[in-house]
Amino acid sequence: MTNLKELPVDKLRFNCDESLLGFETTANVPPLEDMIGQERAVKAVEFGLFTKNQGYNIFISGLVGTGKITYAKSSVSKVAKKESVPDDWCYVNNFENPGQPIAVSLPAGVGSVFRQDMQDLVETLKTDIPKVFSSDDYEQAKTKLVKGFQDKRAFILEEFNHYAEEQGIMPQWSTTGFAGVPINEGKPLTPEEYQKMDKEQRESIEQKLRAVHEKATEIVRRMQHLEREVRDQVKDLDRKIGLFAAGHFIDELKEKYGGYEEVVTYLEAVKQDVVKNINDFKPAQLDEETNPLMLFKRNVQDTIKTKYTVNLLVDNRDCEGAPVIVEINPTYYNLLGRVEYENRMGVVSTDYSMIKPGALHKANGGYLILNARDVLANMGAWEALKRVLKTRKLFIENLGEQYGMLAMASLKPETIPLNVKVILIGNPYIYYLMFNHDEDFRKLFKIHADFDVQMENNPENIKKLAAFISSTVEREHLKHFDKKAVARVVEYSCRLASSQKKLTTRFNEIVELLCEADAWATTESSSIINVSHINKAITEKRNRSNKYEERLQEMYVEGKFLIDTEDKKVGQVNGLAVMAVGEYSFGKPSRITANTYLGKSGVVNIERETKMSGTSHTKGVLILSGYLGEKYAQERPLTLTASLTFEQTYEGVDGDSASSTELYAILSSLSGLPLKQYIAVTGSVNQKGEIQPIGGATQKIEGFFSVCKAKGLNGEQGVMIPHQNVDELTLDDEVVEAVREGKFHIYPVKTIDEGIEILTGVEAGVVNSDGNYPEGSVHHLVNKKLNEYTDTLIKLGKSAEGETKVKV
């Protein structure tokens, strides 16, 4: 056979050169300030933050633990600090239409001053206006108006009474109106006396009564007119007094906020409303205070402060640069704000002072960071977010009204212009799902920053990883690491990345290792973390998760799972698979057997026939038919039936990583050459017989090694893997040491021919000039067996044809 080289020890894992680190402990390493291993994503985020055009919001995708959220917060905060602080936003009362509060923007910090000024104004008005109305001057002016009315009223009544008496009628006034009584000789005329009069006298009296009544009606109208005049005069006096008391205070504020047109307009509306409702500020009379029916008036006085207060919705006075808001619960109301309600004496009510801001209000003029999954999970949140980003207007609406579920009187606050950059964070699946199924998404989130799970394994990134360890030590208050411990962490990072040429960027798992190593160092009272603590943390973490792996190992040793690690068998080979239990994965050897016999069914996949085969596994088995046809059926038909199965497999089988293993079993069965049971196999194959790479090579090797170790190492055992997977090996110390001592072997192969030679110890064979394979080679024996099948089938066919002719 061809003498194939075994994989040397230095190819089994990446060994970090401690001389690259250049320090003794992480105490001498400056903490990491930049993001490592995500250059493409970092550039995308930087461009997205730089671009201010509409629609250039950012979606950061990546797997859990790659540092997306941490980087988003730090990078956005750096950019935001260099930007200007956005305006404050207030809602004030709309006196003409209270259901539509007015939005007012003021420079950062001015909003809180304006709110305080309005509070002070209300307190001043509530104190000074009652004083003015309690003054002697006001009382004298009011008394003068009232006396003037009374004098005019008395003159009119006296004039009327004189007229009535001239007509022989005694006037009588009551609450129901005027009643005239005829008089005779200065005395009221009784009904009896009136009846005794003749007709002419009675008609004369009635005529005089009608005249007096008409005159009385005219007098009533004149008095009502006088009352209206005096009321208007009193109101005008109150307005003048109120304007005198309140006007100069409001004018002072108008002058102070003269540069803000919206505030000046509002203050003028406040002045007019105060004058219009000046009675609300008047002191209550003694009888009013004790009258229970005046409760409403007292409530009105209590709401004066609310009526003129300023609802400071967004206060940016303490901001340094643009705001950066991280909303951890992005519900509809938490994003867009809400109008709250309260129960007042059994009646639900609200006003503009009960408008509460949402995350978009707080982030307006800055940045908002959201988790994409959380936004999608909350009813109405995603549609609302899209709407405000498209319209660039921020409105507050009741969610029930939005979906037509509830119709009730509510406020409709004035919309606020929106200028915010949204950063969504999620996994790649969510990004591509939204990109493909939501046409608005691609217009609104034009920047995609995709965080990788790997970075290049080079000296620069190794040093950055050491700096990351130093920053973690500082942030988590851990003990410092010596350089050997750091080197071991780098090697562990390679294992997590499943490549010798890569380091993982799933830093969350690195942080877990560092924290656990610190805990083990603490238990040993060590002041510094060394390589033994790292190894202890790795081992203990594995021991917490490998219960099922150990159970399987016991079953292999006890013979409940059939697996041979010695001798040779025909049509039988050990395949390798990977099982995952949560976050822990391990290799699981399985026996694969093949039986070949005369027939025309080709390769029969028993797993497929029992519906236990996945699509990838089925494809891998069908490829075997293509290989066999191309290799052995160029001149004669392929007359073969081969049954394949994974023994003792009771769950589904998927993946094509065992296709080369299955082909070896078929070739062994056809050639009659036994295969080495102490060499396990993994790798897929194409129709040309080329071995293709697979996943989980490290776990598969370690899984078979564990079985061999449990059953006894004999120095011949090993694993065949695709040559493309060599740079992905990150084997643990025990396997590496066994290879170094010659107790275990790893063979990289490129073709089926190389693999069959290792498994059988027989040359595969190459077609010579006459089109035949060398005598005794694997392919010669297989071809010979297939020719025998074909000849037998031809003979059987001729025999059956002869019998048919004799019968005829």
Side-chain angles (χ1 to χ4, degrees), residues 390-402:
K390 286 190 291 186
T391 61
R392 305 188 80 172
K393 292 181 179 179
L394 191 51
F395 51 87
I396 299 177
E397 287 183 345
N398 187 294
L399 185 60
E401 295 177 355
Q402 187 76 17

Side-chain angles (χ1 to χ4, degrees), residues 469-678:
I469 296 173
S470 177
S471 62
T472 304
V473 168
E474 182 178 301
R475 183 178 65 253
E476 302 294 337
H477 307 290
L478 307 178
K479 297 177 177 62
H480 281 287
F481 293 70
D482 65 21
K483 63 180 180 180
K484 290 186 177 180
V486 172
R488 186 69 183 93
V489 173
V490 172
E491 294 170 0
Y492 181 73
S493 177
C494 284
R495 183 179 177 91
L496 293 177
S498 299
S499 174
Q500 298 177 15
K501 298 180 180 179
K502 303 288 184 179
L503 298 174
T504 187
T505 56
R506 301 183 70 170
F507 298 113
N508 187 52
E509 297 190 37
I510 298 295
V511 172
E512 288 180 7
L513 176 66
L514 301 181
C515 293
E516 292 177 19
D518 177 80
W520 291 116
T522 302
T523 59
E524 296 181 7
S525 301
S526 175
S527 60
I528 196 167
I529 299 173
N530 55 46
V531 69
S532 66
H533 302 132
I534 299 294
N535 290 332
K536 178 75 171 177
I538 294 173
T539 302
E540 291 298 324
K541 184 175 183 179
R542 177 177 180 177
N543 290 341
R544 292 194 297 268
S545 305
N546 69 345
K547 178 179 71 174
Y548 295 104
E549 182 183 19
E550 290 184 353
R551 294 282 176 83
L552 285 174
Q553 297 295 339
E554 292 174 2
M555 296 177 76
Y556 285 124
V557 174
E558 295 170 357
K560 295 177 181 177
F561 267 120
L562 301 180
I563 196 84
D564 291 326
T565 58
E566 297 180 350
D567 300 329
K568 299 179 180 180
K569 296 283 182 67
V570 174
Q572 178 178 304
V573 65
N574 291 327
L576 298 172
V578 175
M579 293 188 67
V581 180
E583 64 177 357
Y584 182 70
S585 59
F586 58 92
K588 174 182 177 293
S590 296
R591 175 182 289 180
I592 298 175
T593 58
N595 287 334
T596 55
Y597 45 91
L598 181 63
K600 297 182 179 180
S601 301
V603 179
V604 177
N605 178 8
I606 294 179
E607 272 72 31
R608 180 186 179 187
E609 298 301 317
T610 57
K611 298 182 180 180
M612 294 174 61
S613 176
T615 54
S616 298
H617 179 249
T618 299
K619 177 184 176 182
V621 174
L622 292 174
I623 286 174
L624 304 185
S625 298
Y627 172 84
L628 294 172
E630 192 272 342
K631 196 77 173 178
Y632 306 113
Q634 295 298 313
E635 298 179 356
R636 307 183 71 176
L638 189 65
T639 54
L640 167 71
T641 296
S643 63
L644 281 171
T645 188
F646 280 74
E647 304 289 355
Q648 290 186 289
T649 300
Y650 308 105
E651 65 277 355
V653 177
D654 202 4
D656 64 347
S657 63
S659 56
S660 67
T661 313
E662 294 166 326
L663 183 54
Y664 294 136
I666 292 174
L667 295 179
S668 171
S669 180
L670 288 171
S671 66
L673 296 172
L675 300 178
K676 299 174 182 177
Q677 299 302 295
Y678 44 84

Side-chain angles (χ1 to χ4, degrees), residues 59 330 370-377 382 423-427 430-431 434:
F59 191 105
L370 302 170
N371 184 290
R373 184 180 179 276
D374 293 339
V375 175
L376 294 174
W382 173 241
I423 297 92
L424 280 182
I425 299 175
N427 59 51
I430 292 179
Y431 173 80
M434 298 172 72

Side-chain angles (χ1 to χ4, degrees), residues 569-571 594 596 628 632 640 663-675 756 759-760 762-764 776-786 788-789:
K569 296 283 182 67
V570 174
T596 55
L628 294 172
Y632 306 113
L640 167 71
L663 183 54
Y664 294 136
I666 292 174
L667 295 179
S668 171
S669 180
L670 288 171
S671 66
L673 296 172
L675 300 178
I756 199 67
L759 289 172
T760 62
V762 178
E763 184 180 2
S777 65
V778 175
H779 293 311
H780 170 77
L781 296 174
V782 172
N783 202 37
K784 180 180 177 182
K785 174 59 71 173
L786 291 174
E788 291 176 359
Y789 285 162

Side-chain angles (χ1 to χ4, degrees), residues 415-433:
T415 58
I416 294 176
L418 181 67
N419 177 25
V420 67
K421 188 173 289 291
V422 177
I423 297 92
L424 280 182
I425 299 175
N427 59 51
Y429 175 76
I430 292 179
Y431 173 80
Y432 291 112
L433 184 68

